[in-house]
Amino acid sequence: MNTQKIRMPLDISMTVLSIILMGGTILFPDDRVHQILGMALFALWICHSILNRRWFSSIFRGKFPPFRVLQITVNLCLLFCALLLFVSGMMMASFLPLDVGGALGFARTAHLVSSHWYYVFMCAHLGLHASMIFSRILKGRKMPLVPKIVIAIVAVYGVFAFIMRGIAKYMFLRQEFFFLDLDRGILLFAADYISILVLFATIFHFVGKILTRKN
């Protein structure tokens, strides 16, 4: 079965859902919307893992050059964060109330931290596959100069967005409650998180290229 036609729409759907879910429950008047989207993302994760089952089966085989070590590390950390997100999300779900021995407090903290690490690792994952993605889009042609300049500008803005949105504070639990300033608008929220995605994807793309050349 040719899965190439499935992979791109699946990856795009997962990325879009991840960006939306980074807005937390604040984006929606009903918390259940966030919960449903979260379960939809996990379902897509299962499909993604099935399509890449050969990668999992060969993870401990062969040689381990620096690029492959980085790729395995990023992928496993991303998978761990995704699982932690699902478990903590289910613990907080309105249809499955659970508050035994401080479990709900743990779930909230775990969900906050893992969601932001998940986003960074997802961006890194996309960056390590950027060459393959653009190769499919451009059909083997070289990327023109103008898109490269646009990507560079967006990545630079991503530094500002990363700091302004306080992503590091959530990653290292320096802020225990998620805050989203909706006065800045939903479109700016999307622009900020897309620019953060471009920033980390660009960083890991070039780190991957350096490691590949050294190898």
Side-chain angles (χ1 to χ4, degrees):
M1 178 182 178
N2 186 5
T3 61
Q4 296 304 320
K5 293 182 179 180
I6 303 175
R7 291 177 184 272
M8 187 65 75
L10 178 65
D11 293 343
I12 292 174
S13 300
M14 292 176 70
T15 303
V16 172
L17 271 178
S18 297
I19 294 173
I20 294 173
L21 287 167
M22 288 305 295
T25 57
I26 301 174
L27 286 181
F28 308 102
D30 191 337
D31 292 355
R32 288 174 294 184
V33 176
H34 182 83
Q35 295 167 13
I36 292 170
L37 292 178
M39 288 186 288
L41 178 60
F42 189 74
L44 293 179
W45 252 102
I46 294 174
C47 296
H48 183 81
S49 299
I50 292 173
L51 290 175
N52 292 279
R53 60 190 181 278
R54 290 184 179 178
W55 184 87
F56 288 102
S57 63
S58 62
I59 190 171
F60 296 114
R61 299 176 185 173
K63 297 180 179 180
F64 293 90
F67 176 80
R68 189 177 180 218
V69 171
L70 175 63
Q71 188 180 53
I72 290 173
T73 302
V74 168
N75 290 353
L76 291 182
C77 288
L78 177 58
L79 180 60
F80 174 77
C81 289
L83 291 172
L84 186 56
L85 272 172
F86 176 72
V87 172
S88 59
M90 291 299 292
M91 291 172 69
M92 294 186 294
S94 57
F95 56 84
L96 187 65
L98 178 63
D99 191 14
V100 180
L104 191 57
F106 166 79
R108 285 173 178 164
T109 301
H111 206 72
L112 177 68
V113 175
S114 60
S115 63
H116 288 83
W117 278 106
Y118 168 87
Y119 195 74
V120 171
F121 283 125
M122 182 196 73
C123 299
H125 176 79
L126 290 173
L128 293 177
H129 291 82
S131 296
M132 180 182 66
I133 294 170
F134 283 115
S135 177
R136 290 178 183 174
I137 296 173
L138 300 172
K139 298 181 179 179
R141 298 189 301 268
K142 289 186 177 181
M143 181 182 291
L145 179 60
V146 173
K148 290 182 179 180
I149 295 174
V150 172
I151 290 173
I153 293 173
V154 173
V156 171
Y157 176 77
V159 177
F160 167 77
F162 181 83
I163 297 171
M164 188 273 298
R165 292 289 177 179
I167 305 299
K169 292 181 181 179
Y170 301 124
M171 292 171 68
F172 297 100
L173 205 58
R174 291 170 56 195
Q175 184 168 320
E176 298 184 6
F177 297 97
F178 181 69
F179 172 74
L180 180 63
D181 186 6
L182 285 182
D183 291 337
R184 292 174 56 84
I186 294 177
L187 290 179
L188 189 55
F189 154 78
D192 285 349
Y193 275 87
I194 290 172
S195 67
I196 293 169
L197 186 155
V198 172
L199 168 65
F200 281 99
T202 301
I203 291 172
F204 277 85
H205 170 66
F206 283 106
V207 170
K209 290 186 73 172
I210 292 170
L211 294 179
T212 302
R213 286 174 182 173
K214 286 185 177 181
N215 182 53

